[in-house]
Amino acid sequence: MTTLIAFESSADETSVAIVKDGRTVLSNAVATQINSHQRFGGIVPEVASRHHLEWITKTLDIALADAKVQPDELDGVAVTYGPGLVGSLLVGLMGAKTFAMAHDLPLIPVNHLAGHISAANFNRPIQYPAIALMVSGGHTELVLMKKENDFAILGETYDDAAGESYDKVGRLMGLNYPAGKAIDELAAQGEVTIQFPQAMAHEEGYDFSFSGLKSAVINQVHNAEQRGEEINQADLAASFQAAVIKALIDRTRRALTDFPVKSLVLAGGVAANSGLRAALEKLIQDFPETDFIPVPKQYTGDNAAMIGAAGYWNYQDHVFADLDLNTHPGLDFPLYEEAK
């Protein structure tokens, strides 16, 4: 049995968790900063860093208490070192280093994106080879995993990530940040009355583009305002979400066709979207040899439990770091062509 403590502070959640064998969450303390950033319509890095400083020891104490685990019962310290906001990453990294040094525990560096994908194991074990559709505020990627802890990007967004587009469209609609959940709920009440364009629809490959969709929504709203017309918010949300989901589904279908796999993982903050989940449930019926494994909704956002899951992979592979480990804000997986 391997029990890890994990630290996550890449954006606007401060989190510490205790995870056993990469699959069992003993505790997961999360302090969110949403209320602080809502008035700005997005994350303010300096504000985020200061909140992390305030909450890092508090979430540590909560995680240990909730898990009823003592430091001498732990086997290692997993920590996000990238990607993310450099100031935010530094707080979690220094907290993890301090804890590791104080209790003579190995430090385990974790890629935040690997954390999102590995959280699927909290649902049921990923079988390999696998493809992961990673959809969040900062990333939209199709990732091939030939084996555990092995990642190669098949396709990624050229511009806005899907989650970023949700937030920008939500701001246009007067919705609070983050807008993904609100748009998803509105979409369920509306009808697809506007056929928004899908960028790169006829191009080969697995890449995405959402900036053109965002611009099309903005133009639709502004043109209606100039004509004095009122746009149905629910229909607008449904039309926008349908376009996002179609782009994600089309590329995922192409990847599943070209790379037969045993598991399809849905991960990232946008993985909580009910419309996307339903569309993937329908898609996977065309691939009976592939198991659809969405990350449980409570672990789709940024949290330390997922870092503990990915940290377990690294622990097994003896991937450790010295105390001079630094942040890597632009960290990503290798491209498939480079990883072959």
Side-chain angles (χ1 to χ4, degrees):
M1 184 178 74
T2 302
T3 304
L4 302 179
I5 188 168
F7 291 73
E8 156 62 25
S9 66
S10 63
D12 60 343
E13 271 84 26
T14 314
S15 183
V16 180
I18 313 291
V19 179
K20 182 175 69 174
D21 293 336
R23 292 179 182 170
T24 303
V25 181
L26 303 183
S27 66
N28 186 40
V30 181
T32 185
Q33 306 173 14
I34 287 176
N35 290 339
S36 294
H37 298 287
Q38 275 184 343
R39 64 185 184 275
F40 304 112
I43 301 174
V44 179
E46 178 63 20
V47 173
S49 300
R50 291 178 181 273
H51 279 299
H52 287 308
L53 286 169
E54 178 184 356
W55 278 98
I56 190 69
T57 55
K58 295 178 184 178
T59 50
L60 170 60
D61 291 342
I62 293 169
L64 288 169
D66 286 352
K68 297 180 175 59
V69 168
Q70 297 298 317
D72 61 4
E73 299 175 84
L74 297 168
D75 297 292
V77 182
V79 60
T80 300
Y81 74 106
L85 303 171
V86 62
S88 294
L89 288 166
L90 278 169
V91 177
L93 184 56
M94 292 308 296
K97 286 182 180 181
T98 302
F99 191 91
M101 184 169 58
H103 300 287
D104 194 26
L105 290 167
L107 186 67
I108 306 166
V110 174
N111 182 324
H112 178 84
L113 305 179
H116 274 300
I117 294 171
S118 66
N121 282 317
F122 298 145
N123 186 339
R124 55 185 176 274
I126 303 171
Q127 302 299 316
Y128 302 93
I131 284 176
L133 175 60
M134 243 290 303
V135 197
S136 69
H139 294 81
T140 301
E141 298 178 347
L142 276 165
V143 180
L144 177 66
M145 300 175 66
K146 293 183 178 179
K147 59 182 180 179
E148 187 174 271
N149 214 20
D150 177 87
F151 309 94
I153 297 174
L154 294 175
E156 59 188 338
T157 181
Y158 278 9
D159 35 63
D160 289 352
E164 186 180 4
S165 295
Y166 269 88
D167 288 335
K168 290 178 177 178
V169 169
R171 190 180 310 137
L172 176 72
M173 297 173 65
L175 303 174
N176 284 332
Y177 166 88
K181 182 179 180 181
I183 290 179
D184 188 27
E185 291 172 348
L186 273 173
Q189 304 167 27
E191 300 290 338
V192 178
T193 58
I194 308 165
Q195 297 299 322
F196 287 118
Q198 180 184 336
M200 304 171 63
H202 304 293
E203 293 187 24
E204 296 183 359
Y206 317 97
D207 291 323
F208 306 91
S209 173
F210 295 103
S211 65
L213 171 60
K214 173 198 65 182
S215 299
V217 176
I218 291 172
N219 289 337
Q220 183 77 27
V221 171
H222 287 174
N223 289 339
E225 290 175 347
Q226 290 171 354
R227 293 192 298 267
E229 299 174 358
E230 184 176 345
I231 288 185
N232 184 296
Q233 290 278 81
D235 289 350
L236 180 64
S239 301
F240 164 72
Q241 179 156 292
V244 173
I245 290 174
K246 187 176 189 308
L248 294 172
I249 293 298
D250 286 354
R251 294 298 191 276
T252 303
R253 176 183 292 279
R254 184 177 296 170
L256 291 173
T257 301
D258 294 346
F259 297 90
V261 293
K262 294 181 179 179
S263 302
L264 170 65
V265 172
L266 174 62
V270 184
N273 184 283
S274 61
L276 178 58
R277 285 186 174 231
L280 286 168
E281 289 279 8
K282 182 178 180 181
L283 169 67
I284 209 65
Q285 294 175 14
D286 295 335
F287 299 89
E289 302 301 316
T290 302
D291 183 22
F292 176 47
I293 312 179
V295 170
K297 286 190 176 182
Q298 66 266 39
Y299 300 114
T300 53
D302 293 347
N303 66 90
M306 69 183 197
I307 303 307
Y312 177 69
W313 285 346
N314 281 352
Y315 184 89
Q316 288 184 305
D317 290 345
H318 304 287
V319 178
F320 301 109
D322 295 326
L323 291 177
D324 61 356
L325 175 68
N326 204 348
T327 62
H328 194 329
L331 184 65
D332 208 337
F333 300 133
L335 297 174
Y336 175 70
E337 292 301 320
E338 298 171 355
K340 284 195 298 186

